[in-house]
Structures are given as C-alpha cells and as structure tokens.
Amino acid sequence: MGNTESLIKCLEPDKLRLDEPMSAHTTLGIGGKADLFYTTEHSGDLVKAVRLSRTFKVPVTIVGEGGGVVVSDSGIRGLVIRNRSERIQIKPQKNIFDIFRKKRTKKAEVTIDSGVRIDVAIAKLRALGIVGLEKYVSLTGNMGALIG
C-alpha cells in the first residue's frame, strides 16, 4: 500500500474527496484537480490531517475560502485541506491589582482558529469591547493568513 492510500484510510471518508476540481474552491473559478481534498471543521481535525500528511510524506496545501488562491490547470499533488475551523474562544482575565486601580480595563485571552475570517473575528471581538486587531480590518481572508 502506498503513502497516499495509507493517508486516505486514516482520514474521515465523509470529509474527503478524490480528484476534486479546485475551480470549485477558488474565487476565480479556475484550476485543475487536487489529488485529495479534505475539509476540516475544527482545529483538531486540521492538526491531525497535517500530521498524518507529514507522517506519510504526502505533500499538503492548506486553503481557506480561496480568495487569494490561483491554481494551475495541472492541479495540486497531494492533500489539499480546506480549513473551515471557526472557533473563537474568549476567557476573561482577572488581575489582583485591578481591585486597586481606579481605571477599569477589561482583559481577555482570545483564541481564534485559523479558519475564522478576519473581518468576522474583529467584528465579534469589537462587539464584546475587545480591541487590538483593528489594524487588520482591511485585510481579506482568514486568520491563518495573518500568520504567513
């Protein structure tokens, strides 16, 4: 059994497509087929798929909504992962010194999955009074694009 076949056996079959036309997943509507196309809904699925790809030495490409993606007519070899992880987790942070401060500032630890659209994340956080990402509001794409 080859590496690609081994990878296929390890991925959830309902999330996996073989010879998927990338033209269906890009804004421009062009591009050849991906050998394997896998959709993740959670960051754990994304990590698992990437680790399995590396274990089996199958090339991996991760895409978001396809807005900044141009695919050759010859397609993409290996596994293409469509990252749809959309979790935003907010944990309020308290500091013992806040009791003594006259000026109250809200602090929070925010975890945003890489598949969340930048504008959606900023709007949700702003609505909750959490600020700091506004300089990225003009960018398009998902949070994962900010890492690159």
Side-chain angles (χ1 to χ4, degrees):
M1 179 182 312
N3 289 353
T4 300
E5 291 82 13
S6 298
L7 176 62
I8 290 170
K9 288 189 178 280
C10 293
L11 296 173
E12 292 86 359
D14 59 322
K15 298 179 181 180
L16 182 65
R17 296 184 192 152
L18 305 179
D19 296 319
E20 178 72 7
M22 287 303 295
S23 58
H25 304 283
T26 63
T27 305
L28 295 175
I30 60 173
K33 295 179 180 179
D35 293 339
L36 305 172
F37 187 87
Y38 189 69
T39 302
T40 62
E41 301 290 334
H42 306 285
S43 57
D45 291 342
L46 176 64
V47 170
K48 176 185 171 185
V50 170
R51 285 185 177 159
L52 286 168
S53 293
R54 289 182 177 166
T55 297
F56 293 116
K57 296 181 173 59
V58 173
V60 62
T61 303
I62 302 172
V63 298
E65 294 181 0
V69 178
V70 177
V71 178
S72 164
D73 287 340
S74 61
I76 301 176
R77 303 290 63 90
L79 176 66
V80 174
I81 301 173
R82 164 66 164 95
N83 181 11
R84 296 188 59 161
S85 55
E86 297 183 346
R87 182 178 60 110
I88 299 177
Q89 183 178 18
I90 302 166
K91 293 180 185 175
Q93 300 291 306
K94 294 187 179 183
N95 185 328
I96 188 68
F97 297 109
D98 289 342
I99 298 168
F100 304 108
R101 293 183 183 142
K102 292 182 181 180
K103 183 179 178 183
R104 297 268 181 201
T105 57
K106 292 182 182 179
K107 295 180 183 179
E109 176 183 314
V110 179
T111 304
I112 305 172
D113 278 356
S114 59
V116 177
R117 285 187 17 208
I118 295 168
D119 59 331
V120 169
I122 293 171
K124 182 172 183 176
L125 295 174
R126 186 183 293 157
L128 295 171
I130 300 171
V131 296
L133 293 175
E134 291 76 14
K135 66 181 178 180
Y136 301 111
V137 75
S138 63
L139 298 178
T140 59
N142 297 353
M143 293 301 290
L146 293 178
I147 297 169

